[in-house]
Amino acid sequence: MNQPWTELHAPPALPELFLRAALKRKVSGRTLPEGGLRCPVSVEARHLAAYRRVCAFADDGRLPPTYPHVMAFALQMRLLTADDFPFPLLGLVHLENRIRVLRPLGGLGPFRVGVRVADLQPHAKGALFSLLISLDDQLGPLWEGESRFLSRAAKLPGEPCEAEPRAALALAEVDRWRAPADIGRAYARVAGDYNPIHLSALSARLFGFPRAIAHGLWLEARSLAALGDRLPDAGYEVQVRFKKPLLLPGELTLLASAPGASGQLALRGADDLPHMDGEWSTLP
């Protein structure tokens, strides 16, 4: 069955959507909406430059592989705060992220971005679902993303699916850097994601964290910027799993396997605390 899409003329304004997210506190159902949202988007050069600075991407003439998440953020906020989306947005936990760069991410647009949700499953701590993002240009599909979220507020019947263990490769240090105390605010200014857990110790404490924590997508973006020479221009996939949250400020060490068509990565903090791991591979 074809996916039903609602077409918008432009990305929605964020202030009203932040208010809707703050007001919804209860689960309102156990099924995901079937429809998705799509709209045209273009890249503003100054915003792209600011994103590159915050995430340490070089200006190589292509969009950073994580940048489409920013392009889709307003649309996904509209989808996740709609009346037919069953879970409160505040409190969702970002567990995994997968991106597929199908063709070189060149140019500033115009593009078309689409977002939808799918694959609702039981989890030992609540309910899992996928947020799916697509980016197209005039020639067709350009980039795809999937984020897996956990809603602790929801419970579903059934047994959770267990992930298959992965054979570990030998990893060596690639880079290390310090995440400053204000990186959550700096990333929020370019990504639009003003979740209180990332902004300050005061706002993070309202959600049980002793200090602000780094955005998971910033951890991924900063890591892929450091791995740029290991990744091709296009035709590859990266999948990461977010582990322990990084309390800000914090020290980070990126480890990776040897360059090749496929490989693994790990992001560690103080005392070897795992913050993220994952793998990359070329597409068939």
Side-chain angles (χ1 to χ4, degrees), residues 17-255:
L17 301 179
F18 288 141
L19 179 60
R20 290 178 63 90
L23 292 177
K24 183 168 183 176
R25 299 299 179 90
K26 295 182 179 180
V27 174
S28 58
R30 288 187 173 183
T31 59
L32 297 176
E34 293 184 359
L37 301 175
R38 290 193 303 208
C39 75
V41 293
S42 293
V43 176
E44 201 275 316
R46 291 179 61 184
H47 181 270
L48 175 59
Y51 179 86
R52 285 190 175 119
R53 286 194 298 272
V54 169
C55 300
F57 280 106
D59 184 356
D60 61 0
R62 293 177 284 118
L63 300 181
T66 48
Y67 191 71
H69 282 293
V70 176
M71 300 166 68
F73 182 73
L75 207 60
Q76 74 181 48
M77 283 290 295
R78 170 77 174 267
L79 183 71
L80 299 181
T81 58
D83 290 339
D84 58 353
F85 182 73
F87 310 134
L89 181 56
L90 287 179
L92 291 181
V93 182
H94 195 178
L95 297 182
E96 301 178 14
N97 189 64
R98 179 179 61 87
I99 60 175
R100 303 177 79 217
V101 181
L102 305 177
R103 293 187 286 113
L105 297 172
L108 301 179
F111 303 104
R112 183 177 66 175
V113 66
V115 298
R116 60 188 180 92
V117 287
D119 197 20
L120 183 62
Q121 296 180 9
H123 186 275
K125 296 183 179 180
L128 275 178
F129 69 93
S130 289
L131 173 67
L132 304 175
I133 304 172
S134 60
L135 184 71
D136 298 354
D137 64 8
Q138 297 95 323
L139 299 178
L142 186 64
W143 178 98
E144 296 172 348
E146 177 181 5
S147 291
R148 291 290 281 166
F149 286 96
L150 168 68
S151 172
R152 291 196 178 105
K155 299 294 181 183
L156 296 177
E159 293 297 322
C161 296
E162 297 291 337
E164 295 183 7
R166 297 171 175 81
L169 300 178
L171 305 182
E173 181 177 327
V174 173
D175 198 5
R176 61 173 60 204
W177 64 89
R178 179 174 175 79
D182 66 346
I183 192 61
R185 296 187 294 276
Y187 184 78
R189 285 192 290 271
V190 296
D193 185 354
Y194 284 91
N195 189 322
I197 62 176
H198 304 303
L199 303 181
S200 70
L202 182 62
S203 58
R205 287 191 196 106
L206 298 175
F207 296 87
F209 296 99
R211 303 198 303 274
I213 65 173
H215 293 76
L217 286 177
W218 178 78
L219 295 177
E220 180 181 7
R222 183 64 180 80
S223 297
L224 294 190
L227 290 174
D229 59 348
R230 281 171 163 79
L231 302 175
D233 290 345
Y236 68 94
E237 174 179 290
V238 177
Q239 182 165 355
V240 299
R241 292 163 293 278
F242 303 113
K243 302 296 186 179
K244 301 291 185 181
L246 173 66
L247 297 173
L248 297 172
E251 301 289 338
L252 289 164
T253 301
L254 177 65
L255 305 140

